[in-house]
């Protein structure tokens, strides 16, 4: 099967772009609807931000994500042109060429490979010399929404787009694995950017939930501008000692049906802390501390 030969490069690339864009809108739209309606109605949903994100923030996230969708086409184009000439791809078309066990294993390996790729490239992009040109756009969303999942600088989108091309150069993969994995990947990415806690902190600290990243994990990264660099698992953050725990959230800002703190005294304490910090004579605290201040005003929960 050679779709490029059959369709021509232009049609093939346009189809890729349409699939990427549709996948983004479906997944982010689903996440957005979930926090606006389904989860809000049926779960104890707790928002991270002091106020809902407005049209301006969301349209910025969508615009940058759409731009990333175009950049993501570059490796595909390279693969079906230069890559084809060099025969670098280990993609196979007949599922019987390898065992079903390998089919499933290659999916799992790709999952770990992407998590590793993302952790190290993401961590590198936080280097002061790279941050502005590579990663600053993603962090414009201090409290991200699902629409921020692909909101990247051009350079970051380019780096992240090489996940598949790097993988298919290393190990054999059935052609259906990348699109299947892409679906899972975008759903988990959207989940990380929900900007709301879905599960209770007790649940997050139990196996297997404690092995994975959650909105509160990645939300903490957006707020602090450091730590929690992983995408799916907490593995690399734990190993490299960059794990910084979950974002603090306040149930009194909950958008779900449970709107009261479990411990009102804790809320009172954090409110007092906030007043103390805001009246402090030191007006030159780091941005990090400023974010903490805002969060202290909101937060009651601590989890590591
Ligand atoms: Zn993010
Ligand atoms: Zn980051």
């Amino acid at each position: 099967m050679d779709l490029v030969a059959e369709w021509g490069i232009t049609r093939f690339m346009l189809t890729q772009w349409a699939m990427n864009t549709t996948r983004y809108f479906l997944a982010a739209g689903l996440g957005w609807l979930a926090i606006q309606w389904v989860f809000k109605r049926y779960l104890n949903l707790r928002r991270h931000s002091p106020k809902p994100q407005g049209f301006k923030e969301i349209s910025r996230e969508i615009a940058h994500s759409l731009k990333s969708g175009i950049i993501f086409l570059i490796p595909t184009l390279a693969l079906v042109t230069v890559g084809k000439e060099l025969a670098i791809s280990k993609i196979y078309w007949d599922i019987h060429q390898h065992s079903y066990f390998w089919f499933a294993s290659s999916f799992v390996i790709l999952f770990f490979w992407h998590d590793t790729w993302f952790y190290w490239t993401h961590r590198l992009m936080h280097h002061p010399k790279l941050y502005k040109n590579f990663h600053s756009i993603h962090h414009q969303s201090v409290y991200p929404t699902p629409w921020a999942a692909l909101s990247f600088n051009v350079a970051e989108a380019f780096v992240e787009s090489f996940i598949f091309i790097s993988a298919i150069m290393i190990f054999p993969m059935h052609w259906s694995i990348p699109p299947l994995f892409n679906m899972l990947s975008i759903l988990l990415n959207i989940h990380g950017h929900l900007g709301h806690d879905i599960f209770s902190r007790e649940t997050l600290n139990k196996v297997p939930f404690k092995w994975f990243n959650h909105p509160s994990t990645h939300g903490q990264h957006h707020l602090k501008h450091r730590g929690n660099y992983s995408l799916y698992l907490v593995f690399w953050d734990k190993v490299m000692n960059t794990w910084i725990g979950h974002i603090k959230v306040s149930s009194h800002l909950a958008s779900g049906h449970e709107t009261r703190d479990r411990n009102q005294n804790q809320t009172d304490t954090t409110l007092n802390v906030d007043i103390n910090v805001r009246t402090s004579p030191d007006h030159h605290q780091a941005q990090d501390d400023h974010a903490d201040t805002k969060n202290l005003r909101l937060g009651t929960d601590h989890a590591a």
Side-chain angles (χ1 to χ4, degrees):
M1 184 177 1
D2 190 341
L3 285 178
V4 183
E6 204 174 310
W7 291 357
I9 291 235
T10 308
R11 184 180 163 194
F12 181 80
M13 296 309 294
L14 279 173
T15 307
Q16 285 285 321
W17 173 81
M19 280 169 61
N20 288 349
T21 309
T22 307
R23 189 165 45 227
Y24 164 73
F25 274 109
L26 278 179
L30 206 66
W32 182 247
L33 275 179
I35 55 174
Q36 295 302 313
W37 180 52
V38 187
F39 289 173
K40 186 174 180 178
R41 187 167 178 154
Y42 298 109
L43 294 177
N44 176 23
L45 195 65
R46 301 191 303 169
R47 197 178 67 224
H48 297 162
S49 63
K51 61 180 178 63
Q53 303 306 303
F55 176 78
K56 194 176 161 198
E57 286 89 358
I58 290 169
S59 51
R60 172 178 47 76
E61 292 174 345
I62 292 176
H64 286 301
S65 294
L66 289 177
K67 180 190 67 191
S68 299
I70 296 169
I71 306 298
F72 289 162
L73 295 175
I74 295 173
T76 311
L77 186 62
L79 194 66
V80 297
T81 53
V82 185
K84 197 174 175 186
E85 297 293 321
L86 299 174
I88 59 168
S89 167
K90 291 183 186 294
I91 286 277
Y92 60 94
W93 299 94
D94 181 359
I95 198 161
H96 301 296
Q97 202 171 325
H98 292 272
S99 66
Y100 287 112
F101 177 74
W102 174 253
F103 180 87
S105 302
S106 61
F107 192 94
V108 175
I109 294 169
L110 185 58
F111 183 82
F112 284 107
W113 173 242
H114 192 192
D115 205 44
T116 304
W117 177 273
F118 187 87
Y119 177 87
W120 287 104
T121 54
H122 184 194
R123 195 168 168 188
L124 200 62
M125 285 188 276
H126 271 267
H127 189 282
K129 283 195 162 63
L130 299 177
Y131 179 80
K132 186 170 178 289
N133 291 322
F134 277 78
H135 195 45
S136 53
I137 284 177
H138 192 64
H139 278 281
Q140 284 175 359
S141 304
V142 178
Y143 292 103
T145 77
W147 303 103
L150 304 177
S151 175
F152 299 146
N153 293 63
V154 168
E156 176 170 13
F158 187 69
V159 169
E160 296 307 336
S161 69
F162 274 84
I163 170 62
F164 287 119
I165 209 166
S166 59
I168 63 170
M169 285 167 67
I170 300 170
F171 56 92
M173 206 187 297
H174 187 254
W175 68 269
S176 64
I177 295 283
L180 279 175
F181 184 80
N182 248 336
M183 273 314 299
L184 176 72
S185 176
I186 189 76
L187 286 172
L188 292 178
N189 196 352
I190 297 292
H191 171 250
H193 291 93
L194 284 180
H196 289 69
D197 272 11
I198 300 167
F199 301 116
S200 70
R201 290 305 157 95
E202 291 75 20
T203 305
L204 292 186
N205 288 322
K206 285 179 186 163
V207 174
F209 298 95
K210 64 192 279 187
W211 298 336
F212 294 89
N213 276 322
H214 297 276
S216 56
T217 327
H218 195 61
Q220 178 79 317
H221 173 75
H222 274 265
L223 190 63
K224 300 281 186 181
H225 284 218
R226 62 179 170 80
N228 292 0
Y229 298 106
S230 298
L231 182 57
Y232 306 129
L233 304 167
V234 299
F235 174 78
W236 279 114
D237 279 305
K238 293 281 186 178
V239 168
M240 300 308 298
N241 207 22
T242 50
W243 166 252
I244 55 167
H246 300 290
I247 196 171
K248 302 161 197 160
V249 254
S250 169
S251 341
H252 70 270
L253 284 173
S255 13
H257 58 267
E258 185 185 318
T259 55
R260 297 301 304 167
D261 253 353
R262 283 189 297 274
N263 187 338
Q264 185 62 46
N265 290 334
Q266 276 186 310
T267 307
D268 294 338
T269 307
T270 55
L271 285 168
N272 289 336
V273 171
D274 175 49
I275 290 163
N276 290 338
V277 174
R278 281 194 294 167
T279 53
S280 161
D282 181 8
H283 297 297
H284 301 286
Q285 294 179 69
Q287 185 181 13
D288 215 16
D289 293 330
H290 175 64
D292 276 345
T293 304
K294 286 196 288 185
N295 220 31
L296 280 167
R297 183 167 67 248
L298 310 168
T300 58
D301 253 334
H302 296 263

